């Protein structure tokens, strides 16, 4: 289960260390793609196959979303130092330069530019947050 959050530096080549607590769930191969709201999503192979199944099941109107997800998708291997090389195109699109925040989202990781993430969180009012929690039975 991928939970928690951490801020990590990105080296000049675009590599970032995936914390050990996440590597055990991700495995040695990671699939990265653009995510909603301006983040990068990272999936284990098992979870990425589930994403592909959902994309296959969608109707023809889903082609725009399919293209967005699949055109930016990359298969990456975690190296011996626990790092992945995040493609420049994904880093640029997410506004990630020298640091990023990793957020565990149960089945995937999200990589964020911290400013972008904070702006997105501000868009949810306390009332909306409470309503969503109630909908899930958590309030």
């Amino acid at each position: 289960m991928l939970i928690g959050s951490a801020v990590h530096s990105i080296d000049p080549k675009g590599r970032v260390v995936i914390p050990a607590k996440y590597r055990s769930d991700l495995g040695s191969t990671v699939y990265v793609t653009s995510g909603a709201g301006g983040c990068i999503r990272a999936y284990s192979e098992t979870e990425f196959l589930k994403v592909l199944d959902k994309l296959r099941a969608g109707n023809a109107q889903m082609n725009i979303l399919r293209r967005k997800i699949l055109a930016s998708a990359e298969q990456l291997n975690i190296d011996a130092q626990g790092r992945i090389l995040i493609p420049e195109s994904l880093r640029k699109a997410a506004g990630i330069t020298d640091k990023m925040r990793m957020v565990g989202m149960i089945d995937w990781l999200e990589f964020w530019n911290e400013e972008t993430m904070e702006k997105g969180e501000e868009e949810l009012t306390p009332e909306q947050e409470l309503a969503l929690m109630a909908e899930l039975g958590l309030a």
Side-chain angles (χ1 to χ4, degrees), residues 22-62:
Y22 297 139
R23 286 195 303 262
S24 61
D25 287 316
L26 290 172
S28 60
T29 301
V30 177
Y31 292 82
V32 294
T33 188
S34 58
C39 72
I40 299 169
R41 284 190 174 184
Y43 297 92
S44 68
E45 185 168 12
T46 301
E47 291 303 322
F48 194 66
L49 290 173
K50 291 178 187 177
V51 170
L52 295 178
D53 285 342
K54 290 175 184 176
L55 289 173
R56 269 188 211 104
N59 60 34
Q61 292 179 324
M62 297 282 288

Side-chain angles (χ1 to χ4, degrees), residues 79-110:
D79 70 15
Q81 287 78 37
R83 301 172 301 189
I84 59 171
L85 173 62
I86 300 173
E88 183 178 1
S89 59
L90 284 174
R91 285 184 279 128
K92 186 176 178 180
I96 294 172
T97 54
D98 59 340
K99 275 199 235 176
M100 71 174 180
R101 177 169 295 278
M102 290 182 197
V103 180
M105 298 293 290
I106 304 171
D107 295 326
W108 67 84
L109 278 181
E110 289 183 345

